[in-house]
Short mmCIF file of all heavy atoms in Angstrom, two decimals:
data_model
loop_
_atom_site.label_atom_id
_atom_site.label_comp_id
_atom_site.label_asym_id
_atom_site.label_seq_id
_atom_site.Cartn_x
_atom_site.Cartn_y
_atom_site.Cartn_z
N TRP A 146 -2.60 24.61 -2.73
CA TRP A 146 -1.40 23.99 -3.32
C TRP A 146 -1.74 23.40 -4.69
O TRP A 146 -0.96 23.54 -5.64
CB TRP A 146 -0.87 22.91 -2.39
CG TRP A 146 0.36 22.24 -2.92
CD1 TRP A 146 1.66 22.66 -2.79
CD2 TRP A 146 0.40 21.04 -3.73
NE1 TRP A 146 2.51 21.80 -3.44
CE2 TRP A 146 1.77 20.80 -4.03
CE3 TRP A 146 -0.55 20.17 -4.20
CZ2 TRP A 146 2.18 19.70 -4.78
CZ3 TRP A 146 -0.16 19.06 -4.95
CH2 TRP A 146 1.20 18.85 -5.24
N LEU A 147 -2.87 22.70 -4.78
CA LEU A 147 -3.27 22.13 -6.07
C LEU A 147 -3.54 23.23 -7.10
O LEU A 147 -3.19 23.07 -8.28
CB LEU A 147 -4.53 21.27 -5.89
CG LEU A 147 -4.34 19.90 -5.23
CD1 LEU A 147 -5.69 19.26 -4.93
CD2 LEU A 147 -3.52 18.98 -6.13
N GLN A 148 -4.13 24.32 -6.65
CA GLN A 148 -4.41 25.44 -7.56
C GLN A 148 -3.10 25.99 -8.13
O GLN A 148 -2.97 26.22 -9.34
CB GLN A 148 -5.16 26.53 -6.81
CG GLN A 148 -5.55 27.74 -7.64
CD GLN A 148 -6.79 27.51 -8.48
OE1 GLN A 148 -7.55 26.59 -8.19
NE2 GLN A 148 -6.98 28.32 -9.50
N ASP A 149 -2.12 26.21 -7.26
CA ASP A 149 -0.82 26.72 -7.72
C ASP A 149 -0.14 25.73 -8.65
O ASP A 149 0.50 26.13 -9.64
CB ASP A 149 0.08 27.01 -6.51
CG ASP A 149 -0.44 28.16 -5.66
OD1 ASP A 149 -1.23 28.97 -6.20
OD2 ASP A 149 -0.07 28.24 -4.48
N TYR A 150 -0.26 24.44 -8.35
CA TYR A 150 0.36 23.42 -9.20
C TYR A 150 -0.28 23.41 -10.57
O TYR A 150 0.42 23.34 -11.60
CB TYR A 150 0.23 22.05 -8.54
CG TYR A 150 0.90 20.95 -9.32
CD1 TYR A 150 2.25 20.67 -9.12
CD2 TYR A 150 0.19 20.20 -10.26
CE1 TYR A 150 2.88 19.66 -9.84
CE2 TYR A 150 0.81 19.20 -10.99
CZ TYR A 150 2.16 18.92 -10.77
OH TYR A 150 2.77 17.93 -11.50
N PHE A 151 -1.60 23.49 -10.63
CA PHE A 151 -2.30 23.48 -11.91
C PHE A 151 -1.93 24.72 -12.73
O PHE A 151 -1.75 24.64 -13.95
CB PHE A 151 -3.81 23.42 -11.69
CG PHE A 151 -4.37 22.02 -11.73
CD1 PHE A 151 -3.99 21.07 -10.79
CD2 PHE A 151 -5.27 21.64 -12.71
CE1 PHE A 151 -4.48 19.80 -10.82
CE2 PHE A 151 -5.78 20.36 -12.76
CZ PHE A 151 -5.38 19.42 -11.81
N VAL A 152 -1.85 25.87 -12.07
CA VAL A 152 -1.50 27.11 -12.78
C VAL A 152 -0.08 27.03 -13.32
O VAL A 152 0.20 27.42 -14.46
CB VAL A 152 -1.67 28.33 -11.85
CG1 VAL A 152 -1.10 29.58 -12.51
CG2 VAL A 152 -3.15 28.53 -11.51
N GLY A 153 0.83 26.51 -12.50
CA GLY A 153 2.23 26.48 -12.90
C GLY A 153 2.57 25.42 -13.93
O GLY A 153 3.61 25.51 -14.59
N HIS A 154 1.72 24.40 -14.08
CA HIS A 154 2.02 23.30 -15.00
C HIS A 154 0.96 23.13 -16.08
O HIS A 154 0.82 22.05 -16.66
CB HIS A 154 2.16 21.99 -14.22
CG HIS A 154 3.33 21.96 -13.28
ND1 HIS A 154 3.30 22.57 -12.03
CD2 HIS A 154 4.57 21.39 -13.40
CE1 HIS A 154 4.46 22.37 -11.42
NE2 HIS A 154 5.25 21.67 -12.22
N ASN A 155 0.23 24.18 -16.34
CA ASN A 155 -0.81 24.17 -17.38
C ASN A 155 -1.82 23.04 -17.16
O ASN A 155 -2.33 22.43 -18.10
CB ASN A 155 -0.19 24.02 -18.78
CG ASN A 155 -1.18 24.30 -19.90
OD1 ASN A 155 -2.09 25.14 -19.74
ND2 ASN A 155 -1.04 23.62 -21.03
N GLY A 156 -2.11 22.77 -15.89
CA GLY A 156 -3.03 21.69 -15.57
C GLY A 156 -4.45 21.97 -16.03
O GLY A 156 -5.17 21.05 -16.44
N PHE A 157 -4.85 23.25 -15.98
CA PHE A 157 -6.21 23.58 -16.38
C PHE A 157 -6.41 23.36 -17.88
O PHE A 157 -7.48 22.93 -18.32
CB PHE A 157 -6.54 25.02 -16.00
CG PHE A 157 -6.74 25.22 -14.52
CD1 PHE A 157 -5.77 25.88 -13.77
CD2 PHE A 157 -7.87 24.74 -13.89
CE1 PHE A 157 -5.94 26.06 -12.41
CE2 PHE A 157 -8.05 24.93 -12.52
CZ PHE A 157 -7.08 25.58 -11.77
N GLY A 158 -5.38 23.65 -18.65
CA GLY A 158 -5.49 23.43 -20.09
C GLY A 158 -5.62 21.96 -20.43
O GLY A 158 -6.46 21.57 -21.25
N ALA A 160 -6.59 19.52 -18.34
CA ALA A 160 -7.86 19.01 -17.81
C ALA A 160 -9.03 19.46 -18.67
O ALA A 160 -9.96 18.68 -18.93
CB ALA A 160 -8.05 19.49 -16.37
N ILE A 176 -12.40 21.54 -10.95
CA ILE A 176 -11.56 20.36 -11.03
C ILE A 176 -10.61 20.25 -9.85
O ILE A 176 -10.35 19.15 -9.33
CB ILE A 176 -10.77 20.34 -12.37
CG1 ILE A 176 -10.06 18.99 -12.56
CG2 ILE A 176 -9.79 21.49 -12.45
CD1 ILE A 176 -10.99 17.82 -12.72
N VAL A 177 -10.07 21.38 -9.37
CA VAL A 177 -9.12 21.35 -8.26
C VAL A 177 -9.77 20.86 -6.96
O VAL A 177 -9.27 19.91 -6.33
CB VAL A 177 -8.46 22.72 -8.07
CG1 VAL A 177 -7.71 22.78 -6.73
CG2 VAL A 177 -7.49 23.00 -9.21
N ILE A 180 -10.58 17.13 -7.23
CA ILE A 180 -9.41 16.26 -7.06
C ILE A 180 -9.04 16.14 -5.58
O ILE A 180 -8.70 15.06 -5.09
CB ILE A 180 -8.23 16.80 -7.88
CG1 ILE A 180 -8.49 16.61 -9.37
CG2 ILE A 180 -6.92 16.11 -7.48
CD1 ILE A 180 -7.42 17.19 -10.26
#
Side-chain angles (χ1 to χ4, degrees):
W146 181 85
L147 285 171
Q148 182 80 18
D149 293 339
Y150 182 87
F151 266 64
V152 171
H154 295 80
N155 192 32
F157 288 107
I176 189 65
V177 167
I180 289 176

